[in-house]
Amino acid sequence: QVQLVESGGGLVQTGGSLRLSCAASGNIVRFNAMGWYRQAPGKQRELVAMIYSGGNTNYEDSVKGRFTISRDNAKNTVYLQMNSLKPEDTEVYYCYVDLWLIGGSQRVRSWGQGTQVTVSS
């Protein structure tokens, strides 16, 4: 069982910044990947950024150069630093983890509860 707690969403003006955090807890032995997706009403959830076990990262094209994903292994936490925010970034952001629990026999993929990011023009 894995619990994810997201924080950091909110309202910001165009050009502003926000930092999202997602802390995972449970009998975690290692992560395959940690990342962020976002979803607007009536649309599919889309990948924003992902960081993999080896440190490689992947970003959606529209956020490259503005968003930075990072992690703190000691805290089992992934961050998304969002700079130069635009109104089109307004969506619900979901944390995603792909990990192995202690014992190595159970792979878990789990989602956070979602946090609203609103960018005003």
Side-chain angles (χ1 to χ4, degrees):
Q1 192 76 5
V2 176
Q3 294 79 41
L4 300 177
V5 178
E6 297 181 20
S7 61
L11 174 64
V12 66
Q13 292 185 334
T14 296
S17 297
L18 286 173
R19 188 193 195 204
L20 305 183
S21 300
C22 175
S25 61
N27 294 323
I28 300 166
V29 61
R30 67 179 177 88
F31 288 90
N32 295 319
M34 306 176 76
W36 295 91
Y37 284 72
R38 64 186 181 185
Q39 187 172 24
K43 294 188 177 181
Q44 285 191 329
R45 194 170 295 186
E46 63 175 8
L47 175 67
V48 178
M50 192 72 69
I51 184 165
Y52 299 92
S53 58
N56 294 336
T57 58
N58 185 35
Y59 293 93
E60 195 270 328
D61 286 345
S62 70
V63 308
K64 287 179 180 177
R66 300 189 297 124
F67 292 9
T68 302
I69 190 169
S70 62
R71 68 186 180 203
D72 184 329
N73 292 329
K75 296 181 179 179
N76 289 337
T77 298
V78 62
Y79 304 97
L80 185 68
Q81 178 66 43
M82 304 185 293
N83 298 330
S84 302
L85 282 161
K86 305 175 181 179
E88 50 263 44
D89 295 317
T90 296
E91 299 195 32
V92 178
Y93 286 69
Y94 295 90
C95 174
Y96 170 82
V97 297
D98 176 357
L99 54 84
W100 290 93
L101 296 179
I102 287 178
S105 62
Q106 186 175 0
R107 184 174 183 175
V108 173
R109 298 174 179 89
S110 187
W111 295 92
Q113 78 278 8
T115 185
Q116 177 69 47
V117 171
T118 302
V119 185
S120 64
S121 57

